[in-house]
C-alpha cells in the first residue's frame, strides 16, 4: 500500500481479495481513509464489475444494529486462458479468476515444430474452448503460458532452452496474442464493433507455474515450497513467501543441468547433466536399448502404470540420482514441502528419491519436510498459469492502470 491514508482503489481490492478487510468499516480501519473516500474508491471497483456485495456479516456492537455488508471479489466478470506446453503434448483451458477450470483440452503439439506453428495452433484451441465454455473473446482478461525452458519474466522470451529448438528469444507474447485475436475474429463481443484490444500474455517456466499452482491450492501456509518436474527433462520450481523465485534472469531451478559425474551427453550439449541420466527421456533411451518400445517420458509413464518391472527398476535408479542432488537443494532452501511431479512421479521413482535424500541431507533439513507427489496432476501448470495472470492484472498498481483505461 502507498501509505496509511493514501490507499488506492487497487489497494482496497487487494485487501478484499486477500480477505484482510471485507467490509467498508474494516477497510476504513485498515487504510485510515474516511468513510466517504472509501465509498468513492469502492464505487470505481463496483463500476468496473470487480467487486460485489455478499451476505451481511455479524453485528459487532452489543447494542445491535444492522449487519455489515461484506465485500467480495467478483470472479464472474472475466475469464483467463491458460496453456501448458510439454515437448510433444499440450493442455489448454478456460479458467475463472479464482482458478476453477471451465473447459479444457489436451492433445499432441510438438514443440520442435517451432513457435509460429505451435502458438498459432494454440490460438485455435483457445477459440474452441471459449465457445465450449460459453464465453466471448472480450471476456478474456489475459493468457498464461507455461513452457519447458528458462524464461526471462521481463520479456516473456525463453533464454537458450535446451529442448525448445527455434524458440530462443522468440516473441511468444506477441505471437500468441495475435493468434488468439486472429482465431476469434468475428466471434462477437467487441464493444461498439471496434478493433480488438491485444490480450496480455504472461509466460513462465512450466515447473515454476506447476509449483505456483500446487502451493497456492494445497500448501498456502508453506513459506518455502519446492516442486521437481521429471518428464522429458528435469526442472524445479521454487515458491518462497508466496511468490515464484526465479533468480536474476529466470534460471533458478534448472537442476536438470547440474553435473553428476556421468559421461552421458545431454541435449544442452554438455556431458554428465542430471537430465541426461535421470529424466524420463533418459529412462526411455535405456529401455529402448534393451528392446522395450519407449521414446519419451510419457511412454515410461505408461509402462510404469502397467507395472513393467524394468521400467520400475530404472525409475527407482533415476530417483536415487535425483535424490542425491535434492539433498543439496533441501539443505540450501530448507523447504517445508518437496513435491515430485511429472511422468516419473510414481512409487518407484519416489522411493529412490527418499533413499538418497534422507541418507545425504542433514537431519535438521528434513525433520519437518514433507516429500509428496502432485495433487493437481496434469492441471498444475494450467492452474499456476491462470493464477499468474490474475495476480499480475489485479495487483494494486496494475489494477489502477486498468481502472483508468476503463474510464472508471
Amino acid at each position: 500500500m502507498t501509505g496509511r491514508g493514501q490507499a488506492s482503489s487497487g489497494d482496497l481490492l487487494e485487501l478484499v481479495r486477500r480477505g484482510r478487510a471485507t467490509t467498508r468499516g474494516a477497510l476504513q480501519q485498515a487504510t485510515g481513509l474516511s468513510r466517504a473516500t472509501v465509498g468513492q474508491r469502492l464505487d470505481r471497483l463496483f463500476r468496473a464489475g470487480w467487486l460485489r456485495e455478499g451476505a451481511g456479516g455479524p453485528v459487532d456492537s452489543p447494542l445491535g444494529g444492522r449487519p455489515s455488508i461484506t465485500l467480495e471479489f467478483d470472479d464472474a466478470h472475466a475469464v483467463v486462458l491458460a496453456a501448458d506446453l510439454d515437448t510433444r503434448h499440450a493442455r489448454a483451458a478456460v479458467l475463472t479468476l479464482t482458478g476453477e477450470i471451465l473447459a479444457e483440452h489436451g492433445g499432441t503439439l510438438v514443440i520442435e515444430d517451432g513457435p509460429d506453428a505451435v502458438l498459432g495452433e494454440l490460438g485455435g484451441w483457445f477459440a474452441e474452448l471459449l465457445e465450449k465454455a460459453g464465453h466471448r473473446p472480450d471476456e478474456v482478461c489475459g493468457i498464461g503460458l507455461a513452457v519447458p525452458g528458462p524464461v526471462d519474466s521481463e520479456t516473456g522470451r525463453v533464454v537458450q532452452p535446451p529442448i525448445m529448438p527455434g524458440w530462443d528469444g522468440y516473441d511468444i507474447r506477441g505471437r500468441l496474442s495475435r493468434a488468439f485475436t486472429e482465431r476469434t475474429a468475428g466471434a462477437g463481443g467487441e464493444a461498439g464493433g471496434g478493433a480488438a484490444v491485444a490480450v496480455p500474455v504472461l509466460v513462465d517456466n512450466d515447473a515454476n507455474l506447476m509449483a505456483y499452482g500446487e502451493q497456492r491450492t494445497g500448501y498456502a501456509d508453506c513459506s518455502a515450497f519446492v516442486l521437481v518436474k521429471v518428464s522429458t527433462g528435469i526442472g524445479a520450481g521454487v515458491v518462497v513467501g508466496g511468490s515464484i523465485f526465479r533468480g536474476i534472469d529466470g534460471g533458478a531451478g534448472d537442476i536438470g543441468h547440474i553435473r553428476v559425474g556421468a559421461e552421458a551427453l545431454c541435449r544442452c550439449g554438455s556431458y554428465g547433466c542430471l537430465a541426461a541420466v535421470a529424466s524420463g527421456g533418459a529412462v526411455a533411451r535405456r529401455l529402448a536399448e534393451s528392446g522395450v518400445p519407449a521414446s519419451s517420458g510419457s511412454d515410461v509413464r505408461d509402462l510404469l502404470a502397467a507395472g513393467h518391472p524394468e521400467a520400475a527398476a530404472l525409475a527407482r535408479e533415476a530417483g536415487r540420482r535425483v535424490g542425491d542432488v535434492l539433498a543439496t537443494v533441501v539443505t540450501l532452501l530448507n523447504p517445508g514441502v518437496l513435491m515430485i511431479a511429472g511422468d516419473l512421479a510414481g512409487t518407484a521413482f519416489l522411493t529412490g528419491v527418499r533413499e538418497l535424500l534422507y541418507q545425504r541431507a542433514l537431519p535438521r533439513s528434513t525433520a519437518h519436510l514433507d516429500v509428496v507427489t502432485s495433487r493437481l496432476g496434469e492441471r498444475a501448470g494450467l492452474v499456476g498459469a491462470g493464477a499468474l495472470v490474475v495476480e499480475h492484472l489485479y495487483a494494486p498498481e496494475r489494477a489502477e492502470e486498468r481502472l483508468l483505461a476503463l474510464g472508471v
Side-chain angles (χ1 to χ4, degrees):
M1 225 179 290
T2 54
R4 190 169 176 83
Q6 299 297 317
S8 66
S9 294
D11 288 316
L12 299 191
L13 179 67
E14 182 81 353
L15 289 169
V16 173
R17 287 183 61 229
R18 302 297 181 199
R20 296 172 186 158
T22 57
T23 65
R24 288 169 173 79
L27 288 170
Q28 286 177 242
Q29 186 174 12
T31 62
L33 296 174
S34 69
R35 179 179 179 180
T37 302
V38 166
Q40 290 168 359
R41 296 185 180 176
L42 288 177
D43 184 58
R44 299 177 69 204
L45 299 172
F46 280 116
R47 282 187 283 141
W50 296 359
L51 276 189
R52 65 187 173 207
E53 291 186 341
V59 178
D60 297 328
S61 171
L63 300 177
R66 296 173 59 188
S68 299
I69 298 299
T70 58
L71 303 170
E72 301 173 349
F73 179 58
D74 189 344
D75 69 341
H77 72 270
V79 293
V80 176
L81 297 174
D84 185 4
L85 298 180
D86 209 331
T87 52
R88 304 188 63 82
H89 187 271
R91 300 188 75 83
V94 182
L95 299 94
T96 68
L97 299 182
T98 49
E100 178 189 354
I101 292 179
L102 302 176
E104 69 179 308
H105 172 71
T108 300
L109 208 53
V110 181
I111 210 157
E112 290 186 353
D113 288 345
D116 188 63
V118 169
L119 298 175
E121 184 70 12
L122 268 184
W125 286 15
F126 285 149
E128 293 172 4
L129 284 168
L130 274 176
E131 185 175 355
K132 180 179 178 181
H135 285 274
R136 303 184 312 271
D138 69 333
E139 293 179 279
V140 176
C141 65
I143 299 173
L145 178 66
V147 297
V151 177
D152 181 339
S153 60
E154 293 297 317
T155 65
R157 298 172 187 249
V158 293
V159 182
Q160 299 177 358
I163 59 175
M164 299 178 69
W167 290 73
D168 187 20
Y170 186 85
D171 181 16
I172 296 174
R173 289 176 177 173
R175 175 65 180 112
L176 186 52
S177 182
R178 289 193 304 274
F180 171 70
T181 301
E182 291 163 2
R183 298 301 290 268
T184 56
E190 295 172 17
V197 177
V199 177
V201 176
L202 274 70
V203 186
D204 210 328
N205 171 262
D206 55 357
N208 283 349
L209 292 180
M210 291 173 69
Y212 196 46
E214 294 277 8
Q215 189 271 339
R216 286 173 60 88
T217 57
Y219 301 91
D221 294 332
C222 180
S223 60
F225 179 97
V226 176
L227 178 143
V228 179
K229 179 186 179 183
V230 187
S231 290
T232 299
I234 300 176
V238 180
V239 179
V240 176
S243 298
I244 298 171
F245 179 76
R246 300 181 176 89
I248 297 300
D249 58 7
D254 201 3
I255 64 170
H257 300 286
I258 292 175
R259 306 291 176 84
V260 293
E263 294 302 317
L265 176 63
C266 182
R267 294 184 66 171
C268 74
S270 298
Y271 286 88
C273 293
L274 180 65
V277 295
S279 65
V283 172
R285 284 193 297 274
R286 292 188 61 182
L287 287 168
E289 289 168 1
S290 65
V292 179
S295 61
S296 66
S298 59
D299 291 336
V300 178
R301 178 191 61 207
D302 294 340
L303 288 168
L304 291 171
H308 192 283
E310 189 173 354
L314 290 174
R316 182 168 179 170
E317 180 185 332
R320 288 172 59 85
R321 287 185 176 273
V322 173
D324 197 8
V325 170
L326 289 179
T328 301
V329 172
V330 166
T331 301
L332 177 65
L333 296 178
N334 191 206
V337 175
L338 172 62
M339 178 174 284
I340 308 299
D343 292 331
L344 265 61
T347 302
F349 185 86
L350 192 63
T351 299
V353 168
R354 289 176 182 273
E355 286 177 10
L356 264 288
L357 173 62
Y358 287 106
Q359 178 182 327
R360 300 291 171 84
L362 291 171
R364 183 184 62 193
S365 300
T366 58
H368 303 289
L369 175 68
D370 289 330
V371 182
V372 299
T373 53
S374 172
R375 289 187 175 188
L376 297 176
E378 293 183 333
R379 291 179 162 181
L382 296 174
V383 173
L388 184 74
V389 171
V390 173
E391 292 306 314
H392 171 74
L393 292 180
Y394 295 93
E397 289 187 9
R398 180 65 177 136
E400 277 299 305
E401 294 173 3
R402 295 177 63 216
L403 289 170
L404 288 171
L406 289 170
V408 297

